[in-house]
Amino acid sequence: MSVFTYGNVVLKKRGICIGCGVFGAINFDNQPVFSYMYWGLRAQNHRGHQSHGFMTYNEGTFYSYKNLDLVPKLKPSAIQDWFKKLPGPIGIANVRYTTSGKCDDASIVQGTQPMTAEADGMKIAVSFNGNIVNTQQLLQEALQQFPDFKYTCDSDLVCSKLLIELKSGKDFASAVKTTMLSLDGAFSVIGITGNGELFAFKDPHGIKPLCAGHSPDAKTFVFSSETVSLDINGFQRDFELEPGELVTIIKDGFKRQRLIEKPRKAFCAFEFAYFARPDSRFDGKYVYEIREAFGRNIVKEFPEIAKDADIVLSVPETGDDPAMGVHEASGLRWERASRRHRYVTERAFILLNSERYSTIDRKVNILDNKVAGKSVIITEDSIVRGDTTKIVIEKLRRAGAKKVYMFVTFPRIIGPCFYGIDMSTYGQLIGSKHSDEEIAKIIGADAVCYQSIDGLVKATGCTKDELCLGCITGKYPTPLAQKVANEMKQKVLHGYVEKGRIYEEDNGT
Ligand code: SF4
């Protein structure tokens, strides 16, 4: 159904995969948007470093570039060449890490977004962040309509569903509405129509972030996963898309259409603790402020442990802001005793299992003169498998720490995520099988102190009903995810060993 280029090679299809950071721009003076996309994407490389992709639209033609790894550094002199490779006043871009499908290089390359699809003279391009749970059902429908359809990525399913609905004669908004209602999962989508219109929409639960903004001269309008990509371009943030909302850009600004009646907002709580950059804002509030409040909360929830400690330090960088909060609430000195190697840029959480240990070992260095003989609190955003935390604690012990207390801002993770965060089986989650005390023993800490769910919710400024807390409560916002989670949990309790990501097992999804 579609074609994309990798370097100079033209490939006919891709590998299954998910994008985690999206950006899109349109300029109404017919100026190229590549430089906005480039800086916008680099600003959110933390959302996915396995691959990156750009697609522009110029006078009816799509241009695309995709490659592995981080968005590369470009010399200013090279920008003009890139304008030639990716011309046009409209573009979308994507950085990703794999949460479904294969993780080998070839599959990652094949799954790199943005994607395009074409049928009956209609064309559409999409950059997608999220994860679709009911893939089998959508795949069957796509195959009925397009016999040569090959499912290699959830974006393919979004593209094909949109085309099916457009082919049936629906207008664009109705096609998007039917698509929204047909997909179970999380999806923040930015796309370009075959007529060169930029659009964006969010799933009816608004699980993934997606905001809109514009340039000071009001000639360029953009969509982005995070506000940092607006800041780096000197743009103003206008609004966060609402759940179930479609936004198109017209010359005077944004056209907003609420397509779903009474959507139930369920924004991913893990964005606040780990995923988003601390200098991004959600609904006007900086993420770093929320993380500081997390640190203050844990001190209030575990006063005796705070009293027993001599210093606080953090697992950089997502532990830094909570450490400030712990310092403020306890009066303990925040020692910068765990230093991060600036040029080991991978985020441990989004690494493959085989790479995680060595990367965290190389990435974090402990200053033994700061911790020797001391009882230390170390702040961490979350414990998923427990392996990276264990390495840090081992390093602290080797440096002579007397006691190590873990202050963890994200409550104990007891279930998988279905929505694009790669913790996708019960088996891999230390928190699904063990109590807090057992986890402390396994990772070598004197105590593990998780922030409470109520504390986390309050600090975000949201209500419980406005957040997805699926992985920490077992209550998921979408029906199919809930069904698969319930069934798999029962199977695991009876000794079943998951074969892979539970939404990819044969469960009728
Ligand atoms: S299940 Fe957890 S990680 Fe996944 S979207 Fe919900 S809160 Fe975020």
Side-chain angles (χ1 to χ4, degrees):
M1 249 178 93
S2 63
V3 170
F4 82 102
T5 54
Y6 168 54
N8 295 325
V9 187
V10 179
L11 302 171
K12 276 250 166 158
K13 264 295 173 183
R14 308 135 290 212
I16 299 174
C17 55
I18 300 301
C20 288
V22 293
F23 190 83
I26 183 166
N27 176 277
F28 284 104
D29 259 357
N30 213 28
Q31 296 302 307
V33 288
F34 173 72
S35 64
Y36 299 130
M37 295 207 300
Y38 172 73
W39 289 110
L41 207 59
R42 269 195 84 179
Q44 45 189 346
N45 226 159
H46 60 289
R47 299 187 71 86
H49 64 253
Q50 286 180 331
S51 66
H52 57 276
F54 298 95
M55 185 171 285
T56 56
Y57 176 95
N58 194 37
E59 297 177 354
T61 303
F62 284 100
Y63 297 82
S64 149
Y65 174 83
K66 306 180 185 197
N67 214 332
L68 291 170
D69 301 325
L70 297 168
V71 179
K73 283 185 188 167
L74 291 185
K75 289 185 183 154
S77 58
I79 293 277
Q80 285 305 324
D81 294 339
W82 281 90
F83 283 159
K84 286 180 207 147
K85 280 184 207 165
L86 291 162
I90 309 168
I92 54 178
N94 190 285
V95 284
R96 69 174 283 274
Y97 84 105
T98 317
T99 60
S100 61
K102 294 176 186 166
C103 298
D104 59 281
D105 278 2
S107 301
I108 290 170
V109 169
Q110 287 182 328
T112 298
Q113 300 183 55
M115 300 298 190
T116 56
E118 196 171 2
D120 295 350
M122 283 181 283
K123 201 164 186 181
I124 204 145
V126 156
S127 176
F128 164 99
N129 173 25
N131 199 49
I132 305 298
V133 185
N134 59 331
T135 50
Q136 290 308 318
Q137 182 192 324
L138 294 160
L139 178 58
Q140 277 167 21
E141 189 186 7
L143 283 168
Q144 271 170 11
Q145 294 282 332
F146 310 115
D148 65 338
F149 179 85
K150 287 195 187 84
Y151 167 48
T152 54
C153 173
D154 283 356
S155 284
D156 290 330
L157 296 172
V158 176
C159 283
S160 70
K161 185 65 188 164
L162 282 170
L163 283 182
I164 290 167
E165 298 308 321
L166 289 169
K167 251 166 52 106
S168 75
K170 287 188 177 137
D171 61 39
F172 190 68
S174 304
V176 172
K177 181 177 177 178
T178 312
T179 302
M180 278 183 186
L181 292 171
S182 307
L183 308 179
D184 187 297
F187 42 97
S188 281
V189 174
I190 304 177
I192 305 173
T193 66
N195 299 328
E197 287 151 344
L198 188 69
F199 64 90
F201 62 86
K202 239 188 200 188
D203 67 76
H205 296 87
I207 295 171
K208 297 288 174 186
L210 188 59
C211 65
H214 71 274
S215 61
D217 65 2
K219 296 276 169 59
T220 306
F221 294 83
V222 295
F223 296 114
S224 175
S225 294
E226 290 189 35
T227 57
V228 284
S229 297
L230 275 55
D231 296 339
I232 202 168
N233 279 307
F235 287 5
Q236 178 186 311
R237 173 195 180 274
D238 289 311
F239 56 91
E240 180 76 19
L241 269 72
E242 295 291 331
E245 186 177 33
L246 165 69
V247 182
T248 44
I249 299 181
I250 49 179
K251 205 153 188 173
D252 299 332
F254 300 101
K255 182 180 172 194
R256 303 182 64 175
Q257 290 169 275
R258 177 73 71 83
L259 301 183
I260 304 294
E261 295 293 317
K262 294 192 186 146
R264 165 358 195 155
K265 186 177 170 188
F267 187 77
C268 170
F270 200 51
E271 290 279 349
F272 295 108
Y274 172 79
F275 220 79
R277 257 177 59 167
D279 46 339
S280 275
R281 284 159 288 160
F282 293 131
D283 287 330
K285 209 167 174 182
Y286 277 110
V287 170
Y288 88 86
E289 294 178 283
I290 294 165
R291 289 182 185 161
E292 287 180 355
F294 289 169
R296 292 193 291 272
N297 282 345
I298 308 181
V299 172
K300 280 186 216 137
E301 291 171 2
F302 297 91
E304 295 307 317
I305 293 211
K307 260 188 221 149
D308 191 47
D310 300 313
I311 54 168
V312 56
L313 56 142
S314 57
V315 178
E317 291 173 350
T318 39
D320 291 348
D321 298 307
M324 174 59 96
V326 172
H327 158 72
E328 286 171 345
S330 66
L332 290 170
R333 185 177 164 81
W334 175 20
E335 283 285 11
R336 307 297 302 275
S338 48
R339 297 298 176 127
R340 186 187 153 179
H341 190 310
R342 187 181 291 178
Y343 300 106
V344 179
T345 49
E346 291 86 351
R347 298 185 91 184
F349 179 78
I350 58 181
L351 285 168
L352 305 179
N353 288 344
S354 54
E355 297 166 349
R356 195 174 292 114
Y357 189 99
S358 56
T359 297
I360 197 77
D361 194 32
R362 289 175 190 135
K363 187 165 149 180
V364 178
N365 207 6
I366 303 290
L367 304 178
D368 53 7
N369 60 334
K370 298 267 188 192
V371 301
K374 304 235 171 81
S375 294
V376 307
I377 288 172
I378 181 153
T379 53
E380 172 67 297
D381 54 78
S382 57
I383 301 178
V384 178
R385 302 159 188 86
D387 47 3
T388 55
T389 319
K390 195 172 174 191
I391 301 161
V392 174
I393 294 172
E394 276 170 20
K395 285 178 157 245
L396 283 166
R397 299 281 188 204
R398 280 205 299 274
K402 192 170 70 181
K403 287 187 188 169
V404 180
Y405 299 123
M406 291 297 310
F407 275 21
V408 188
T409 59
F410 200 59
R412 182 148 64 93
I413 297 169
I414 58 166
C417 175
F418 292 85
Y419 307 120
I421 303 288
D422 196 15
M423 40 196 197
S424 45
T425 65
Y426 285 98
Q428 75 184 158
L429 300 171
I430 192 169
S432 80
K433 297 170 282 192
H434 298 285
S435 66
D436 299 4
E437 293 72 25
E438 288 168 339
I439 293 169
K441 215 168 171 186
I442 293 166
I443 64 175
D446 291 277
V448 172
C449 309
Y450 288 103
Q451 182 181 200
S452 66
I453 294 174
D454 286 346
L456 171 130
V457 170
K458 198 164 170 212
T460 65
C462 303
T463 65
K464 251 184 197 171
D465 288 346
E466 292 171 332
L467 293 171
C468 174
L469 303 167
C471 54
I472 51 178
T473 60
K475 292 185 186 126
Y476 295 89
T478 63
L480 191 56
Q482 186 69 64
K483 179 173 170 284
V484 174
N486 292 347
E487 288 171 2
M488 187 57 78
K489 197 170 173 191
Q490 283 309 311
K491 281 165 79 175
V492 169
L493 281 174
H494 289 91
Y496 179 77
V497 179
E498 297 140 304
K499 298 184 199 83
R501 296 162 179 140
I502 69 173
Y503 43 81
E504 293 179 342
E505 291 207 25
D506 184 13
N507 50 33
T509 58

